[in-house]
Amino acid sequence: MEASLEDTRSSGSSVSGGSLSSVTQMSAIKYLQITEKLDLAQSLPAEMVTDSGGGNATADDVAQFLWTPEQREKLLDSVLASASPDFHLETGALPHMEVKKDVELGNETYCIKMEYWNNKEYKMFFAIPARCVFQWYAKGCAIKVYSQPVPWDFYITLELQKRLNSDFDQSFSENCSCYLYQDGCAIVHRDTNCFTLRDILRDRKFITKEILFLVVHDLLHVVEKLHKAEIVHGDLRPEVLFLGDRICDAFSDEEVPNALKIVDFSHSLDLRVLPQVSLPYNFPTAQTPHGQQLLAESSLPYQVDLVGIADVVHLMLFGDHIQVYQENSIWKICQNLSETPDSDFWSKLFERILNAGGKSTVPLLRELREEISEMFDSSFKERLLFTLTAVGETFLLVNFQ
């Protein structure tokens, strides 16, 4: 890490012919300063220099530069060791992890119970501490494993905690640790329910009006917080939206827990690093059929998450991905909302989200969320409690044998 940091500092003063250009194959940057505390707001390249081909490097070039694991590693090396007591620098190689096997991370041994997703860059598992002999509930640890020593999720979580202060709550990982190895890293998110929104969608009997409004309210709220902290998620979908205690725990206090939790930030972008960047197509949401229709090169990065929200809401309402068309320059969904309960609100939500243009997303998300909050009267809460009890009882006993 010391060598990597030293290399980054030296590269900052002269990268046009150095190792960074060979890694990124892009225009040189005049400087990339990384301080000891790595205030990323200060690491935005102030100027771009002309490359050997005569062209100017753009903010998008820098964005592409920062998407690479190599550059993320350089950005993170100087902060993580001193940034948090939950950061642990380990010796040797990243332990192999697979379902039904035990793995040791730090001073704790975990039993891997299931795998959420798996690709060449990262995996996500659910595990419980091996010392818990009798596991009769659905809460344990989400363990994110990166194939490279670049704990981006951990960095984003630290930044959210710093920037949101009291607004940082159970919407995110309040108890996570990072274990950095020579060839990869593992991030342990404790006190996480094993279910995601995908589990709700598999059994549509759970998607009552009350559950629908509760989930959408919390989805709007968590994205509002992300955008307030100048973070774009970039990959909002049911599989990455973990269910909070409000849904999974039939005995939870409605005033405390959240309905959703986000711990995965694989494709997130910190716009305090690149405030001027236009839409980078590295976002998975931008690569979907509806994303390709709704998002243009001139779209603001925040709009990517609005498209993600629209698709999640559409999945909950209709059970399939959103399809859109344009009429008189207005984007509309192909599905007929007229026979849907509360169609006026859903029509407003889709129209405003799909046609946000360059408007600030935080006020938009707040207004829609507050409109849902007004529906939470006493009778609504009674019906919601009845539904949550049924859902919670279903999720309460999990067979992890």
Side-chain angles (χ1 to χ4, degrees):
M1 290 178 67
E2 288 292 337
S4 177
L5 175 57
E6 206 54 46
D7 177 62
T8 305
R9 286 173 174 157
S10 62
S11 298
S13 59
S14 177
V15 300
S16 59
S19 60
L20 292 183
S21 60
S22 65
V23 173
T24 61
Q25 299 293 311
M26 57 166 284
S27 301
I29 303 173
K30 186 173 182 181
Y31 71 89
L32 182 62
Q33 180 182 10
I34 303 179
T35 64
E36 286 186 7
K37 294 184 179 179
L38 190 62
D39 183 354
L40 288 184
Q42 301 301 319
S43 68
L44 174 68
E47 300 178 50
M48 306 303 295
V49 297
T50 303
D51 63 15
S52 57
N56 288 324
T58 65
D60 282 333
D61 290 330
V62 185
Q64 185 65 38
F65 185 59
L66 291 175
W67 280 104
T68 65
E70 293 85 359
Q71 185 57 17
R72 283 184 172 183
E73 181 178 6
K74 289 179 179 295
L75 288 171
L76 297 177
D77 274 354
S78 62
V79 65
L80 290 177
S82 60
S84 168
D86 296 313
F87 175 81
H88 307 279
L89 184 61
E90 304 289 333
T91 58
L94 178 71
H96 176 69
M97 299 188 200
E98 61 179 281
V99 177
K100 296 184 178 180
K101 299 291 185 181
D102 288 355
V103 61
E104 185 175 341
L105 296 171
N107 298 321
E108 184 71 79
T109 300
Y110 299 92
C111 181
I112 307 296
K113 293 299 183 180
M114 59 192 243
E115 182 180 275
Y116 293 101
W117 57 81
N118 181 346
N119 61 39
K120 65 179 182 179
E121 295 180 0
Y122 52 82
K123 304 174 184 178
M124 181 72 86
F125 297 98
F126 180 79
I128 60 174
R131 53 185 163 78
C132 296
V133 180
F134 300 104
Q135 178 75 12
W136 57 272
Y137 51 90
K139 183 170 283 190
C141 304
I143 300 181
K144 175 74 168 290
V145 181
Y146 279 91
S147 61
Q148 299 195 42
V150 188
W152 194 246
D153 288 3
F154 189 65
Y155 160 72
I156 293 292
T157 301
L158 290 180
E159 287 300 302
L160 286 171
Q161 196 165 11
K162 181 172 68 175
R163 298 176 193 180
L164 292 176
N165 296 316
S166 60
D167 285 337
F168 183 90
D169 56 14
Q170 293 182 2
S171 299
F172 309 105
S173 181
E174 296 181 297
N175 187 2
C176 72
S177 298
C178 174
Y179 300 90
L180 186 66
Y181 296 84
Q182 294 177 0
D183 59 343
C185 59
I187 304 171
V188 179
H189 301 278
R190 298 176 185 83
D191 300 322
T192 301
N193 290 299
C194 70
F195 299 105
T196 69
L197 186 57
R198 174 58 64 191
D199 295 295
I200 291 282
L201 293 175
R202 286 195 181 104
D203 194 342
R204 296 195 61 80
K205 72 180 181 183
F206 291 140
I207 308 179
T208 64
K209 168 183 175 178
E210 293 76 27
I211 287 286
L212 179 60
F213 275 114
L214 175 65
V215 169
V216 174
H217 174 276
D218 270 36
L219 178 59
L220 295 171
H221 200 190
V222 71
V223 177
E224 177 190 333
K225 292 177 185 179
L226 287 173
H227 291 189
K228 180 181 176 182
E230 299 174 72
I231 302 290
V232 176
H233 188 274
D235 189 27
L236 292 173
R237 50 193 172 88
E239 292 84 354
V240 304
L241 297 172
F242 284 81
L243 298 183
D245 288 351
R246 185 75 186 278
I247 293 179
C248 290
D249 185 356
F251 307 103
S252 65
D253 179 0
E254 68 171 87
E255 299 301 324
V256 178
N258 296 75
L260 297 175
K261 179 191 290 282
I262 295 182
V263 302
D264 179 77
F265 298 101
S266 304
H267 303 279
S268 297
L269 192 63
D270 184 348
L271 289 178
R272 283 198 183 175
V273 181
L274 295 166
Q276 304 301 323
V277 70
S278 59
L279 177 66
Y281 284 99
N282 299 66
F283 291 122
T285 300
Q287 298 168 13
T288 61
H290 47 277
Q292 291 175 359
Q293 281 183 273
L294 292 163
L295 298 166
E297 282 190 48
S298 58
S299 298
L300 297 176
Y302 292 114
Q303 289 180 253
V304 174
D305 286 344
L306 297 186
V307 174
I309 291 172
D311 188 49
V312 170
V313 174
H314 197 277
L315 282 166
M316 296 195 72
L317 282 171
F318 303 108
D320 55 11
H321 290 286
I322 191 171
Q323 296 184 32
V324 297
Y325 69 97
Q326 201 169 28
E327 183 179 282
N328 298 325
S329 301
I330 301 296
W331 286 106
K332 300 182 178 182
I333 67 170
C334 295
Q335 280 279 7
N336 183 10
L337 282 166
S338 61
E339 298 181 2
T340 305
D342 305 289
S343 59
D344 289 345
F345 174 78
W346 298 120
S347 296
K348 179 190 299 183
L349 181 142
F350 283 118
E351 181 177 345
R352 296 192 64 186
I353 282 183
L354 298 180
N355 299 281
K359 298 176 184 176
S360 174
T361 57
V362 172
L364 168 60
L365 295 168
R366 184 186 303 118
E367 289 168 12
L368 291 171
R369 174 176 59 83
E370 289 175 348
E371 193 162 334
I372 293 178
S373 295
E374 294 174 0
M375 304 177 189
F376 292 174
D377 57 19
S378 57
S379 63
F380 180 93
K381 290 182 178 180
E382 289 178 5
R383 298 193 307 271
L384 176 62
L385 180 61
F386 179 81
T387 304
L388 289 176
T389 301
V391 175
E393 288 175 350
T394 301
F395 288 160
L396 187 60
L397 298 177
V398 183
N399 182 12
F400 280 140
Q401 305 303 317

